[in-house]
Amino acid sequence: MDALKVVLKSSTASFRVPYFPAFQKSLPVPPISTIIGIISCALGERVKLKGLHFLGYIFTYEGIAFDAWTAHTWDRSASGEVKCVGTNIITREVLSNARLTLYLPVKELWKGIFWRPSGILSLGRSEDLAYVEVPPKVVKLEKVSSGEVRGVLLPKELGGVGQALRLPIYFSWAEPRTPVATDLFFIIDAHSPAYVKDSQNKWLYKDTETGENVIIYSRDWLLSRLSPNGKEVNRRDGCRRDKSKIHGGEPR
């Protein structure tokens, strides 16, 4: 199978876990919703799940650092007014020297959007600026029945190892933004690889260029994760990009 391979790098990355109010812990692997957000940022318009034939990625980092941040405390008055009532200092976990390798459907347009992104690419918060390491290129993915993986999210169909969390796949566009597609994943940290077997012979692929194994999520599986009332909304006209201005393969 052919795939467009895009490698993004950043000095820092952070993917906040929402269950820690006094400490901003980071996931060691970003959720699928973050990846879709990165693609949408580069494209300049909302990416729909049905527009992705497949999606795969590997996330690695060198170490973990901690940073002190100012957090604003908000409160609601008896009249319903929400206002800031003070600040506090919290500790934020930051992943250093991060690398995100994307495997996307081969679309000539997408080669150009990562060289000339519509928005500012980041791996997490807005200050975690990312850049494309090498020109995006087409590589061969070979289906394998078993192998070692690292820096990936295992779907529950392959799970049983690693930390298990329910993570977002897709968010609604309307405010307040809410997850309309979620699922249970087993998080395989880049520093704690795991050996998995793909008995269904549909998840695990090997990058023939590097020999690394990656989990590929099919479009049908992604769409099946939508909640019964979840819908993919139409993109806003104001977010559309003039594709005639994209020049594939030309660096910024």
Side-chain angles (χ1 to χ4, degrees), residues 26 62 83 100 110 115 118 121-122 159 161 164 179 214 220 223-224 230 233 243-244:
S26 175
E62 290 187 5
K83 61 179 181 179
L100 175 66
W110 286 15
W115 272 126
S118 179
L121 302 179
S122 65
V161 294
V214 60
D220 289 343
L223 288 172
S224 70
V233 298
K243 299 180 179 60
S244 65

Side-chain angles (χ1 to χ4, degrees), residues 11-71:
S11 298
T12 61
S14 56
F15 312 105
R16 187 174 69 87
V17 181
Y19 314 115
F20 297 84
F23 169 63
Q24 288 195 9
K25 183 174 178 59
S26 175
L27 289 167
V29 183
I32 295 177
S33 59
T34 297
I35 304 303
I36 292 177
I38 291 172
I39 301 171
S40 298
C41 178
L43 183 61
E45 60 184 54
R46 183 78 161 181
V47 172
K48 292 186 177 183
L49 294 182
K50 65 181 181 182
L52 285 172
H53 181 62
F54 65 84
L55 171 65
Y57 60 98
I58 300 172
F59 179 80
T60 63
Y61 62 96
E62 290 187 5
I64 299 176
F66 298 93
D67 192 14
W69 269 69
T70 300

